Amino acid sequence: MAEQSGRNFKLIANDVADGYVAINPIFLKSFNAPNIKALYKALEHRQNEVRSEPFPYNDTPMIRKRNIRLQRLYSSLLIIRNYAREKNIPMF
């Protein structure tokens, strides 16, 4: 289920976390409802992975990097939720 119609959602989630891909409504237009759900799940999974990594105490650049990753993932999830609500796609 990680890959449908030629898209690997786990890799997209990693790229979002690293800042290579930006999620926005224009990006989401090419996705159908099941793909949007799969992307959402992959982003949630990646967010949980980042949160479960050991916290880098006394290492300010690593803390900043971790927080930026979490911020990118959270904002992407929020954009997808709002896009799905607009398009009447049930997410849950």
Side-chain angles (χ1 to χ4, degrees):
M1 176 151 178
E3 182 173 292
Q4 296 177 359
S5 70
R7 293 187 173 142
N8 191 335
F9 299 112
K10 187 174 181 179
L11 290 179
I12 294 173
N14 286 336
D15 287 346
V16 168
D18 292 335
Y20 298 120
V21 174
I23 301 291
N24 56 40
I26 295 168
F27 177 79
L28 294 172
K29 277 187 179 181
S30 64
F31 289 81
N32 58 15
N35 287 348
I36 288 175
K37 289 180 186 179
L39 178 60
Y40 187 85
K41 296 286 185 196
L43 288 168
E44 277 186 330
H45 185 70
R46 181 66 182 134
Q47 187 179 37
N48 289 336
E49 286 176 354
V50 172
R51 285 185 176 153
S52 67
E53 293 171 358
F55 190 80
Y57 294 102
N58 298 325
D59 190 1
T60 307
M62 289 300 293
I63 293 171
R64 184 173 187 276
K65 185 177 179 181
R66 177 183 184 271
N67 288 339
I68 289 173
R69 279 184 177 166
L70 288 172
Q71 182 180 3
R72 286 184 193 127
L73 290 166
Y74 178 79
S75 64
S76 297
L77 290 169
L78 190 64
I79 290 167
I80 291 174
R81 262 185 261 137
N82 290 334
Y83 180 82
R85 187 182 65 218
E86 240 179 52
K87 301 295 181 185
N88 295 325
I89 299 171
M91 293 300 291
F92 306 104

